[in-house]
Amino acid sequence: MVYPPRCLGCGGKVMSDFGLCGTCWRDTLFIGGSICDTCGTPLPGDDLSDTLKCDDCMITPRPWAQGRSALIYKDNGKRLVLALKHGDRQEIATPAARWMAQAIADLPKENMIIAPVPLHWMRMVKRRYNQSALLAQALAKHTGLPVCPDLLQRQKRTLPMEGMTKEVRFSSVKGAISAHPRRKHRLVGRPVLLVDDVLTSGATLSSAADACIAAGSGPVYVVTLARVVKDA
């Protein structure tokens, strides 16, 4: 009665905590049906085979094995990501992790360890939290998989990528991420599930996946809360 459940999107009353009202649910574009097996972007048609690839992944080979996303980065999906990332709406990580857990239901998970994409320490000081780490920790609770929040570290400070071309994005983050020297023993020979908030070009996740592979990991998988989709 004191704190009634509120919609994560608009703040209106809902039936349960961490829920969406009918209007916000309608404006939240969940990814389903035919998808690219590598990055999780939705594809036209009804082919549900496991080997579909989008044009981007055929043009730009990914260092990870498979990838999934829960939402399209548009409308309420975009608002939720930005609220989590810049608006201190940390509670969004709880339902977001539930949606992400559903998105990765078909991925192999034996001996897998979860790792968030890291922030540079200077950006961490400014933002006070790593939204990818919040998602990773919440996802670990839903899946029962172990999580190592500092498995990776970002040694190179990079500029915000909004507005950058694909080529500049990849060159900007090349070599920026590495396995933490006191944690990398945890990933040797093990599958790693990388967690981030949004997949746009895949540059940051590629850098993180390269760091895992260089440190001796097993196959790398990725999951994000949202995926930028052309003409979404």
Side-chain angles (χ1 to χ4, degrees):
M1 294 176 64
V2 178
Y3 299 108
R6 297 288 181 178
C7 172
L8 289 169
C10 67
K13 291 184 179 180
V14 291
M15 296 298 294
S16 60
D17 289 327
F18 309 117
L20 295 170
C21 69
T23 300
C24 288
W25 183 269
R26 180 200 63 198
D27 293 338
T28 304
L29 304 177
F30 290 88
I31 295 176
S34 299
I35 61 169
C36 172
D37 190 50
T38 306
C39 74
T41 195
L43 297 174
D46 299 321
D47 189 348
L48 300 180
S49 71
D50 295 330
T51 57
L52 296 177
K53 283 193 176 185
C54 67
D55 292 343
D56 283 347
C57 288
M58 287 190 286
I59 295 171
T60 306
R62 312 294 189 177
W64 62 80
Q66 291 175 286
R68 299 288 184 268
S69 294
L71 312 173
I72 293 176
Y73 187 69
K74 184 184 179 183
D75 298 335
N76 198 49
K78 182 176 181 178
R79 289 191 287 270
L80 289 172
V81 170
L82 293 178
L84 171 64
K85 189 172 184 175
H86 299 298
D88 203 17
R89 295 283 307 281
Q90 300 184 38
E91 76 277 8
I92 291 174
T94 298
R98 183 171 66 249
W99 303 332
M100 294 164 73
Q102 294 172 350
I104 64 169
D106 64 327
L107 297 186
K109 301 179 184 65
E110 184 177 356
N111 200 33
M112 178 179 279
I113 186 168
I114 297 176
V117 169
L119 283 179
H120 188 269
W121 70 268
M122 294 182 69
R123 189 164 295 170
M124 185 74 166
V125 168
K126 182 178 180 180
R127 193 176 292 172
R128 298 184 297 106
Y129 63 92
N130 179 359
Q131 73 280 358
S132 299
L134 294 178
L135 291 170
Q137 290 167 331
L139 183 60
K141 292 179 181 178
H142 278 287
T143 61
L145 296 172
V147 58
C148 185
D150 58 348
L151 188 66
L152 301 175
Q153 59 183 3
R154 191 183 291 241
Q155 298 173 308
K156 176 184 174 184
R157 187 184 183 190
T158 55
L159 295 173
M161 293 191 181
E162 288 81 1
M164 289 185 178
T165 65
K166 180 179 178 180
E167 293 73 17
V168 173
R169 285 171 180 262
F170 274 85
S171 62
S172 174
V173 296
K174 186 176 181 179
I177 299 174
S178 62
H180 195 296
R182 293 196 296 272
R183 301 288 184 270
K184 66 180 183 180
H185 66 278
R186 297 192 61 182
L187 62 72
V188 174
R190 298 179 69 176
V192 177
L193 179 64
L194 295 175
V195 176
D196 206 0
D197 54 351
V198 183
L199 195 162
T200 304
S201 66
T204 301
L205 283 164
S206 290
S207 180
D210 286 338
C212 291
I213 295 168
S217 75
V220 177
Y221 302 86
V222 304
V223 62
T224 61
L225 172 56
R227 173 73 164 100
V228 174
V229 176
K230 297 177 182 178
D231 301 322

